[in-house]
Amino acid sequence: MRVLLSTYGTRGDVVPLEALAVRLRALGAEVRMCTPPDEEFAERLAGIGVDMVPVGPPVREVMRGTSLPSAADLDRYRTEMVAAQFDALPAAARGCDALVAAGLAQIAARSVAEAAGIRYVYVSYAAVHLPSPHHAPPPRPGWPEPEASDNRTLWELDAHQVNAQFREPLNRHRRALGLPPVDNVRDHVLTDRPWLAADPVLGAWPRTPGLDVTQTGAWSQADERPLPADLTAFLDAGTPPVYVGFGSLRPSQDIGRKAIEAIRAQGYRALVSRGWADLEPIDDGDDCFAVGEVNHQRLFSRVAAVVHHGGAGTTVTAARAGAPQVVIPLQLSDNPYWAGRVTALGVGAAPDGPSPTAESLDVAFRTALAPGTRARAKELGGKIRTDGAAVAAGLLLDALR
């Protein structure tokens, strides 16, 4: 059997599909994957023996600034991505038995699968991306925030915005494939039977009429890499530090500085992850250390807390390690959702407002570093054990058989 996996986004979008690819290959399936053409993703896929099909521009180019591209640029990127997907996906899907797409940006994927006569599965990494009266839609960069107070109306307005951006180009390409037009683009992409690759303890799906959601658990794979010697030496030289990192996102350097100052104010050392933002210590103090790409699964078990932007992968990795969290959401996608889940579960805190102040960070750090929070984080970590990628691989191949 042969499976095509497809996504477009940062590392947080690609890595879960890598985990699924590894599990599928272990069960005897052939896998190829459509991703942005960034060198990092090409190297990662080559390392697990998966053929890469590049689609769209390098995502680092799109995310190159400390702020998101303008609304006009995002509109152009989105329109160009639809054309790029219809150019690349049909050939990539040739000979495949199924197409698994992650992320709403995969506008063309279901149509390509439909034209090829193969199974299509849509997967979300957070419940908040799926319509439900139990939560509001996530922020969608470049589009105006809908003005409504109830979640049902907000989701209706969200569907209108997706249609305004994508319905005309999608249906134009569908006509070329001999397919009927689509009325509701968002729900067409999601289907009425989507998968949710999120841990049910950390982010359960709220049962919602009209959607038959299969929650598999988060998709990740064990990382056995040792920590670098200089990092290990820093960890061994004192009490556990507080980790600060924002992954593939580029927050302002001001947020990094405020976080380090708040950590020091609580009497802790700081461990700064450079990430795509190239964060660095704010001075040459020996209580602050900077690292590049390292094994977070191993590292987070040795830190006092994890400060991050609220990505699905970082949230579940920190939770599995039993580490308290301070989530500074960058007000896009699922970041605010995961900040809310960490707070609701009592395993961390998030500063109030979109721009954290020294005072709000101080309150968040005091909460996260309190003994009760650490006890709850450790207890929660012991409950997160599902190998979601293995579950999903088994479900998919069973269905194809």
Side-chain angles (χ1 to χ4, degrees):
M1 295 183 187
R2 184 174 297 152
V3 179
L4 175 64
L5 311 178
S6 183
T7 192
Y8 185 86
T10 62
R11 181 174 175 177
D13 299 283
V14 175
V15 169
L17 283 185
E18 289 180 22
L20 179 62
V22 169
R23 290 302 190 184
L24 287 169
R25 282 171 51 82
L27 295 175
E30 297 180 38
V31 183
R32 61 180 65 134
M33 192 185 306
C34 296
T35 72
D38 298 70
E39 183 179 350
E40 172 186 343
F41 302 144
E43 292 176 352
R44 292 181 65 91
L45 293 182
I48 60 173
V50 172
D51 290 336
M52 172 182 169
V53 179
V55 180
V59 75
R60 272 188 183 251
E61 174 185 308
V62 179
M63 303 290 290
R64 62 184 178 274
T66 56
S67 60
L68 289 170
S70 68
D73 283 341
L74 284 169
D75 183 85
R76 176 173 56 83
Y77 280 132
R78 287 171 172 139
T79 301
E80 291 174 351
M81 275 300 301
V82 175
Q85 289 169 12
F86 275 107
D87 284 343
L89 265 62
R94 193 170 297 126
C96 290
D97 301 288
L99 195 167
V100 179
L104 182 61
Q106 297 297 293
I107 299 298
R110 185 175 180 182
S111 298
V112 170
E114 188 178 342
I118 63 176
R119 181 177 291 270
Y120 168 77
V121 176
Y122 175 83
V123 59
S124 173
Y125 301 145
V128 73
H129 291 298
L130 303 176
S132 173
H134 299 286
H135 52 246
R140 302 202 190 276
W143 293 349
E145 286 295 316
E147 295 182 3
S149 57
D150 67 289
N151 291 338
R152 293 183 188 276
T153 302
L154 287 169
W155 279 108
E156 291 173 2
L157 295 172
D158 179 74
H160 287 310
Q161 289 187 333
V162 176
N163 278 343
Q165 173 84 63
F166 295 117
R167 187 160 60 184
E168 189 282 326
L170 172 62
N171 284 332
R172 175 162 34 86
H173 286 285
R174 285 179 64 85
R175 283 195 300 271
L177 293 174
L179 301 174
V182 167
D183 180 55
N184 186 318
V185 175
R186 185 198 66 205
D187 291 356
H188 162 81
V189 172
L190 301 181
T191 78
D192 59 0
R193 303 186 68 183
W195 287 6
L196 176 57
D199 184 83
V201 175
L202 193 59
W205 169 247
R207 190 173 298 277
T208 301
L211 278 185
D212 182 11
V213 175
T214 297
Q215 186 159 13
T216 63
W219 295 357
S220 60
Q221 53 185 321
D223 191 343
E224 303 297 339
R225 293 175 298 162
L227 296 176
D230 56 348
L231 172 56
T232 300
F234 176 76
L235 294 170
D236 291 342
T239 56
V242 174
Y243 169 96
V244 181
F246 298 96
S248 302
L249 299 184
R250 296 176 182 270
S252 67
Q253 290 286 334
D254 185 58
I255 291 181
R257 177 184 59 78
K258 288 180 178 178
I260 293 173
E261 290 174 348
I263 292 167
R264 284 173 163 170
Q266 299 300 320
Y268 284 83
R269 301 186 300 158
L271 179 60
V272 181
S273 175
R274 296 186 179 93
W276 286 15
D278 294 323
L279 293 180
E280 292 287 352
I282 57 177
D283 55 38
D284 57 1
D286 60 6
D287 64 341
C288 193
F289 188 81
V291 296
E293 161 61 20
V294 297
N295 182 345
H296 284 173
Q297 295 175 16
R298 195 178 295 269
L299 173 61
F300 287 178
S301 66
R302 298 199 58 183
V303 300
V306 175
V307 182
H308 61 100
H309 61 288
T314 308
T315 303
V316 73
T317 302
R320 185 180 285 116
Q325 304 180 47
V326 174
V327 184
I328 305 176
L330 301 185
Q331 305 306 311
L332 69 141
S333 189
D334 56 354
N335 295 170
Y337 168 79
W338 290 116
R341 293 303 303 146
V342 164
T343 301
L345 289 165
V347 297
D352 293 330
S355 300
T357 63
E359 292 74 21
S360 66
L361 280 173
D362 179 69
V363 172
F365 275 98
R366 287 181 182 275
T367 301
L369 293 167
T373 306
R374 172 161 290 282
R376 286 188 294 271
K378 185 176 181 179
E379 180 183 4
L380 180 74
K383 298 177 181 178
I384 301 176
R385 289 290 178 266
T386 304
D387 187 343
V391 172
L395 287 172
L396 180 63
L397 296 187
D398 284 348
L400 293 177
R401 294 189 185 103

